[in-house]
Amino acid sequence: MRVSFERTGGFAGISKKTTVDTETLPPHEAATLPRLVEVADLFRLPELITSPNQESDRFQYKLTVEDNGKQHTVTVSESALPGTLRPLIEWFQTVGQKR
């Protein structure tokens, strides 16, 4: 499984992007990432999730998952972030940023 994560926006408008592949991750992280993608039900989420009340200086997240020949991209604003997606976003903000 390969997952690309990009965070844009925020006060400074700085973009951060990282891509991880379970084949190159340590075993514990390689087992955790697919579970987080499954819990998020990422392949069933719409491509764009926005909030009706757009707020300035909020982050926007873009996740692209490639697994077993399937690919799906989801772009979500911080203010509309589904609870099921939050653990995956948090994983990228901690573990994923070390990559």
Side-chain angles (χ1 to χ4, degrees):
M1 176 179 285
R2 181 179 161 109
V3 183
S4 297
F5 170 81
E6 182 176 8
R7 184 188 79 184
T8 57
F11 180 71
I14 297 171
S15 176
K16 290 187 177 186
K17 186 173 183 176
T18 188
T19 300
V20 294
D21 191 319
T22 53
E23 291 186 18
T24 61
L25 290 173
H28 174 71
E29 293 173 13
T32 300
L33 183 57
R35 284 196 305 265
L36 292 172
V37 169
E38 184 178 335
V39 167
D41 206 10
L42 201 79
F43 281 99
R44 293 180 188 240
L45 291 176
E47 291 182 16
L48 183 62
I49 304 171
T50 59
S51 172
N53 303 321
Q54 294 296 331
E55 300 173 32
S56 61
D57 299 332
R58 298 299 296 256
F59 290 119
Q60 180 167 301
Y61 305 103
K62 182 177 181 180
L63 292 146
T64 300
V65 178
E66 301 169 41
D67 189 35
N68 294 324
K70 296 186 303 183
Q71 179 177 330
H72 184 61
T73 300
V74 173
T75 303
V76 58
S77 64
E78 182 179 33
S79 58
L81 190 64
T84 58
L85 195 53
R86 188 171 304 281
L88 181 59
I89 299 291
E90 290 172 353
W91 185 88
F92 267 100
Q93 291 180 334
T94 56
V95 176
Q97 286 185 356
K98 297 176 189 173
R99 306 268 155 242

